[in-house]
């Protein structure tokens, strides 16, 4: 099994392996097999298309967590110039699960905040698998306050399984760190653009997710609890994660339909990690358009618009 | 006959079997903490606080407001706001059926009840969660009732007091329930801008999405003794860190020690403590103090006084 491919992508992996074999054989024997390779490549494309045209919410959830998926730092490297990372909450620590800083997007100074996961084991541990502790949220708040003071738009990138459920995190009041961000983000008078780039895991995601324009990459997810968590509580079995993922409606298309997000940013065939350049270009275009649109609102209108948007969440009778 | 029963005067000594049948259902209650068998009426007079060990038992939302607010005037807010299941959510049961079952069991439409009223004559808006209603979980109705209550405060210059008792966000409303965290917190931002106090009272248990939104945003945060309060549930934390959690972890006393709450307040002094605090924050005259309610039945007190 090819670890770069998920379970449901294994047929694609097999075809790609075959293509590589043929190429290798072609080099060796000098036989012209270009036609054969082309045929197989076409087959791979149509197979990928067919697999990706009917992804289940659970499969999307796996894509959102794909180990090769681009993370916040990748998009910063690609889209932001003069980036200076700014560290620490000025009180306790610098949480590596959230990165933040100041930089230029299309030449415009902005403040950027995002969850960060790690690639290799050491990095994963250092980043705590993208699960922030309270100091991560407090650093984020500090940087957003900086943005407010110097009138810079805020771009946030969401990619976390959730806020870290640990002893120290509780001792340092994880709840309050999240809650305070929710309250403050509701009232900052600079534009806030939020993009879910991978996993939008619960309160830990929302804590940097209150804004004027909320977007999701096509194969990212956003949910109140992980499918596994939901399944183990409501179905009494984590095995039912696929059912839970479907019931909760965690995909970008479903959430757009429900009016919970504003925009879906398309990903190339096979997902963001199979076409990083294209994905970042799509993201850049969306961010640019959003900033232009939101930037037009006078402060009062911006605040009122955001407030009404927050007040509008939820369906009830009466 | 045991040695103890032999010691008892014969007029007290009765056959346990014949006596048991005469005791009506629910006349006695066993304290979950100290196992003392308590006289139901006495327990009620003591606001469901064990007279032996002061364990604060969980109480329903309506009962909470009943013992907290002055008898008059009271006006319920947001009664018409009722749950709908727009996701057609179904796990092992349909969400619709879970709502009906919870409504039947509690007599409430949803997990938060809010009222305009007074405490020791200090005017306010108060709300209380009903943990018996789907674990006091926060969905769209809870969020909307919270905001409606906050709006009454904003329009009429009143303080807000909310008693939380909740497992967190309501999973059956999926991302809509998560957004209630942002919604309620935003309403509190408005109250803050207008200089209206929000007193958050944490009761057993206050967890997850409720704890990580309005409940920890009080200008002043009170907690009842020994209430479980936290972001992640103890079981989840244990699974993550793979160690046993210390005694008292995530209890009110632990939170006080770590600087997360302002005061631990006994339920029996809650009315007075809230009224005193609010009267100062709202720059009103000091409230008239309440006569201390004695856990001893009044008739016995009178008899003692006569002899």
């Amino acid at each position: 099994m090819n670890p770069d491919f998920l379970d449901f992508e294994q047929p694609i992996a097999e075809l790609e392996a075959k293509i590589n074999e043929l190429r290798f054989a072609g080099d060796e024997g000098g036989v012209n097999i270009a036609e054969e390779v082309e045929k197989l490549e076409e087959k791979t494309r149509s197979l990928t298309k067919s697999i990706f045209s009917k992804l289940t919410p659970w499969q999307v959830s796996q894509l959102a967590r794909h180990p090769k998926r681009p993370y916040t730092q990748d998009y910063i490297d690609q889209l932001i110039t003069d980036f200076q990372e700014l560290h620490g909450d000025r009180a306790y620590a610098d949480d590596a699960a959230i990165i933040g800083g100041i930089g230029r997007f299309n030449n415009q100074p902005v403040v950027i905040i995002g969850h960060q996961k790690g690639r290799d084991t050491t990095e994963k541990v250092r980043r705590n698998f993208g699960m922030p502790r309270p100091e991560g949220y407090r650093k984020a708040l500090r940087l957003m306050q900086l943005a407010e003071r110097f009138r810079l738009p805020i771009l946030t990138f969401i990619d976390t399984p959730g806020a870290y459920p640990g002893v120290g995190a509780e001792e340092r009041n994880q709840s309050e760190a999240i809650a305070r961000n929710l309250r403050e983000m509701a009232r900052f008078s600079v534009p806030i653009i939020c993009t879910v780039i991978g996993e939008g895991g619960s309160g830990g995601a929302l804590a940097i997710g209150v804004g004027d324009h909320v977007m999701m990459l096509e194969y990212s997810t956003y949910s109140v609890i992980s499918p596994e968590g939901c399944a183990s509580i409501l179905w009494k079995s984590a095995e039912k994660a696929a059912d839970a993922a479907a019931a909760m409606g965690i995909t970008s298309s479903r959430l757009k339909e429900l009016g919970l997000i504003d925009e879906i940013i398309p990903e190339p065939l096979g997902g963001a990690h199979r076409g990083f350049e294209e994905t970042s270009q799509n993201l850049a275009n969306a961010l640019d358009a959003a900033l232009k649109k939101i930037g037009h609102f006078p402060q009062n209108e911006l605040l009122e618009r955001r407030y009404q948007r927050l007040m509008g969440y939820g369906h009830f009778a009466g | 006959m045991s040695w103890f029963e032999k010691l008892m005067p014969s007029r007290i000594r009765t056959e346990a079997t014949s006596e048991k049948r005469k005791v009506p259902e629910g006349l006695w209650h066993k304290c979950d903490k100290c196992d003392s068998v308590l006289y139901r009426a006495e327990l009620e007079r003591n606001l469901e606080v064990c007279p032996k060990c002061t364990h604060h038992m969980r109480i329903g939302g309506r009962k909470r407001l009943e013992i907290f607010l002055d008898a008059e005037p009271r006006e319920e807010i947001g009664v018409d706001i009722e749950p709908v299941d727009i996701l057609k959510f179904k796990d092992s049961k349909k969400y619709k059926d879970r709502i009906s079952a919870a409504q039947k069991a509690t007599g409430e439409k949803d997990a938060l009840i809010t009222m305009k009223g007074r405490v020791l004559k200090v005017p306010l808006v108060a709300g209380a969660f009903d943990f018996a209603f789907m674990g006091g979980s926060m969905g769209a109705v809870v969020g909307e009732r919270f905001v409606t209550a906050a709006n009454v405060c904003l329009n009429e210059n009143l303080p807000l007091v909310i008693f939380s008792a909740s497992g967190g966000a309501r999973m059956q409303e999926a991302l809509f329930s998560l957004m209630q965290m942002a919604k309620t917190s935003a309403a509190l931002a408005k109250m803050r801008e207008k200089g209206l106090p929000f007193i958050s009272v944490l009761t057993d248990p206050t967890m997850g999405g409720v704890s990580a939104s309005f409940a920890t945003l009080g200008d002043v945060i009170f907690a009842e003794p020994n209430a479980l309060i936290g972001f992640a549930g103890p079981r989840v934390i244990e699974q993550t860190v793979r160690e046993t959690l210390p005694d008292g972890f995530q209890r009110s006393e632990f939170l006080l020690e770590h600087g997360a709450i302002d005061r631990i307040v006994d339920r029996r002094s809650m009315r007075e403590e809230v009224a005193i605090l609010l009267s100062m924050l709202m720059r009103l005259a000091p409230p008239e103090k309440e006569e201390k309610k004695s856990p001893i039945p009044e008739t016995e007190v009178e008899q003692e006084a006569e002899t």
Side-chain angles (χ1 to χ4, degrees):
Chain A
M1 206 175 122
N2 187 333
D4 288 351
F5 290 83
L6 299 165
D7 280 355
F8 60 89
E9 293 177 303
Q10 288 306 320
I12 305 169
E14 278 162 30
L15 271 179
E16 288 206 347
K18 219 180 261 177
I19 293 168
N20 283 340
E21 253 172 53
L22 265 180
R23 279 205 180 112
F24 188 67
D27 289 348
E28 291 258 299
V31 193
N32 186 356
I33 40 94
E35 209 173 294
E36 192 59 22
V37 169
E38 207 170 288
K39 235 191 244 167
L40 280 174
E41 276 177 343
E42 180 49 42
K43 204 173 164 193
T44 309
R45 261 193 301 277
S46 68
L47 181 69
T48 311
K49 218 175 239 172
S50 106
I51 289 175
F52 273 72
S53 67
K54 43 178 195 278
L55 290 176
T56 64
W58 178 233
Q59 286 169 335
V60 174
S61 172
Q62 288 166 279
L63 271 175
R65 301 169 180 171
H66 198 288
K68 296 262 164 174
R69 196 167 174 85
Y71 297 149
T72 297
Q73 186 70 61
D74 301 310
Y75 293 115
I76 290 177
D77 293 345
Q78 189 78 8
L79 304 178
I80 307 293
T81 51
D82 288 347
F83 182 69
Q84 289 187 337
E85 186 173 353
L86 304 173
H87 294 274
D89 69 345
R90 294 282 197 273
Y92 181 79
D94 180 41
D95 186 349
I98 287 189
I99 51 179
I102 186 166
R104 287 178 187 273
F105 172 70
N106 288 344
N107 222 28
Q108 179 186 9
V110 293
V111 162
I112 304 115
I113 290 156
H115 300 102
Q116 181 66 35
K117 295 176 177 176
R119 290 273 171 225
D120 58 36
T121 311
T122 324
E123 188 68 1
K124 275 181 182 152
V125 172
R126 190 170 86 82
R127 302 285 185 190
N128 201 28
F129 303 87
M131 293 185 285
R133 296 180 167 93
E135 36 284 6
Y137 295 115
R138 291 181 180 134
K139 167 170 70 178
L141 181 63
R142 183 175 76 80
L143 297 180
M144 290 189 279
Q145 286 165 339
L146 178 118
E148 171 83 357
R149 277 199 304 283
F150 297 97
R151 315 268 350 122
L152 307 176
I154 299 165
L155 308 181
T156 75
F157 298 107
I158 294 161
D159 188 16
T160 179
Y164 186 59
V167 176
E170 293 289 327
E171 286 174 338
R172 298 191 297 280
N173 212 349
Q174 185 75 284
S175 288
E176 191 269 353
I178 295 171
R180 195 197 301 209
N181 282 13
L182 302 181
R183 184 185 67 204
E184 298 304 311
M185 289 183 88
R187 304 309 283 167
F188 287 134
S189 62
V190 294
I192 306 174
I193 318 288
C194 311
T195 312
V196 186
I197 58 169
E199 274 182 282
S202 194
L206 186 64
I208 58 166
V210 178
D212 303 298
H213 193 72
V214 180
M215 315 191 282
M216 279 176 82
L217 282 182
E218 190 174 358
Y219 302 125
S220 61
T221 56
Y222 200 177
S223 62
V224 66
I225 183 171
S226 71
E228 293 92 333
C230 179
S232 68
I233 295 171
L234 292 182
W235 277 265
K236 315 275 175 222
S237 150
E239 315 267 286
K240 296 279 187 184
D243 294 332
M248 287 196 293
I250 61 176
T251 61
S252 58
S253 53
R254 182 70 177 134
L255 294 172
K256 176 81 171 50
E257 205 173 84
L258 292 169
L260 284 161
I261 60 160
D262 303 293
E263 187 177 347
I264 300 170
I265 302 167
E267 291 184 35
L269 191 61
H273 57 293
R274 303 212 189 280
F276 175 60
E277 299 267 328
E278 191 181 332
T279 311
S280 4
Q281 193 49 56
N282 293 348
L283 175 60
N285 295 343
L287 286 172
D288 186 54
L291 276 175
K292 283 193 175 116
K293 184 181 151 204
I294 305 299
H296 279 307
F297 293 111
Q299 267 184 44
N300 285 348
E301 212 173 303
L302 183 78
L303 277 174
E304 186 53 23
R305 195 178 165 272
R306 192 185 305 147
Y307 192 75
Q308 288 314 326
R309 160 198 192 86
L310 292 168
M311 292 305 118
Y313 284 134
H315 296 264
F316 42 83
Chain B
M1 207 181 280
S2 71
W3 64 270
F4 179 70
E5 280 169 297
K6 277 180 198 157
L7 279 177
M8 284 198 288
S10 58
R11 63 190 169 90
I12 295 176
R13 196 164 61 214
T14 48
E15 290 303 315
T17 46
S18 61
E19 191 59 37
K20 242 181 200 166
R21 275 190 215 108
K22 286 185 207 155
V23 177
E25 193 84 27
L27 191 57
W28 299 95
H29 185 89
K30 200 163 142 192
C31 173
D32 346 305
K33 188 84 189 238
C34 71
D35 281 349
S36 300
V37 177
L38 307 165
Y39 184 44
R40 189 65 258 180
E42 186 190 343
L43 185 58
E44 210 154 292
R45 261 196 304 277
N46 208 33
L47 309 182
E48 310 289 324
V49 175
C50 175
K52 302 278 192 295
C53 74
T54 73
H55 172 57
H56 283 52
M57 296 169 197
R58 289 178 183 174
I59 57 175
R62 196 160 292 273
K63 172 140 195 195
R64 170 77 64 179
L65 295 179
E66 179 63 41
I67 64 173
F68 177 67
L69 292 171
D70 293 348
E72 289 284 326
R74 288 178 192 179
E75 186 192 322
E76 193 163 348
I77 298 165
V79 209
D80 300 337
I81 306 162
E82 293 183 21
V84 293
D85 171 26
I86 74 138
L87 294 175
K88 307 254 177 292
F89 194 97
K90 184 173 174 288
D91 46 82
S92 52
K93 269 189 208 157
K94 283 184 188 163
Y95 177 38
K96 218 176 69 185
D97 296 341
R98 284 189 195 265
I99 295 174
S100 316
Q103 288 177 336
K104 221 175 196 176
T106 60
E108 301 299 340
K109 291 290 182 199
D110 214 298
L112 175 66
I113 303 147
T114 51
M115 289 182 191
K116 187 165 87 166
R118 295 202 281 185
V119 171
L120 298 178
K121 300 208 173 116
V122 177
L124 48 66
V125 173
F129 277 75
D130 200 309
F131 190 72
F133 195 106
M134 298 187 72
S137 55
M138 174 160 69
V141 173
V142 168
E144 185 66 13
R145 284 190 177 175
F146 185 98
V147 166
T148 309
N151 284 340
V152 172
C153 296
L154 288 166
N155 291 333
E156 303 181 28
N157 273 310
L158 293 172
L160 180 65
V161 178
I162 300 282
F163 292 85
S164 297
S166 171
R170 187 172 295 169
M171 281 174 289
Q172 290 88 350
E173 292 188 24
L175 202 66
F176 286 111
S177 68
L178 187 74
M179 294 306 164
Q180 304 311 309
M181 293 170 63
K183 180 170 169 171
T184 52
S185 302
L188 289 179
K190 275 254 163 120
M191 285 195 62
R192 202 175 160 87
E193 280 166 20
K194 233 192 148 187
L196 294 169
F198 167 53
I199 312 301
S200 178
V201 185
L202 312 178
T203 77
D204 188 53
T206 300
M207 305 298 294
V210 165
S211 146
S213 61
F214 65 84
T216 43
L217 293 176
D219 292 293
V220 173
I221 303 176
F222 286 170
E224 284 195 338
N226 200 42
L228 186 73
I229 302 157
F231 175 65
R235 228 167 19 117
V236 175
I237 297 173
E238 255 171 358
Q239 282 164 8
T240 311
V241 301
R242 297 212 177 80
E243 54 185 91
T244 326
L245 301 170
D247 264 359
F249 180 67
Q250 293 185 317
R251 295 286 167 179
S252 309
E253 296 71 17
F254 172 93
L255 271 85
L256 185 72
E257 195 183 319
H258 285 88
I261 57 173
D262 289 281
R263 284 172 78 78
I264 294 177
V265 177
D266 190 295
R267 187 179 294 162
R268 294 162 294 184
S269 359
M270 193 63 78
R271 274 167 59 78
E272 199 169 285
E273 288 238 5
V274 171
I276 289 172
L277 173 65
L278 283 181
S279 71
M280 291 189 273
L281 294 176
M282 297 299 286
R283 300 185 173 278
L284 303 169
E288 286 169 39
K289 302 279 159 71
E290 220 167 2
E291 270 180 53
K292 282 269 177 292
K293 268 188 196 155
S294 167
I296 306 157
E298 279 168 37
T299 47
E300 282 174 37
V301 179
E302 276 165 28
Q303 276 168 8
E304 270 169 34
E306 275 167 17
T307 49

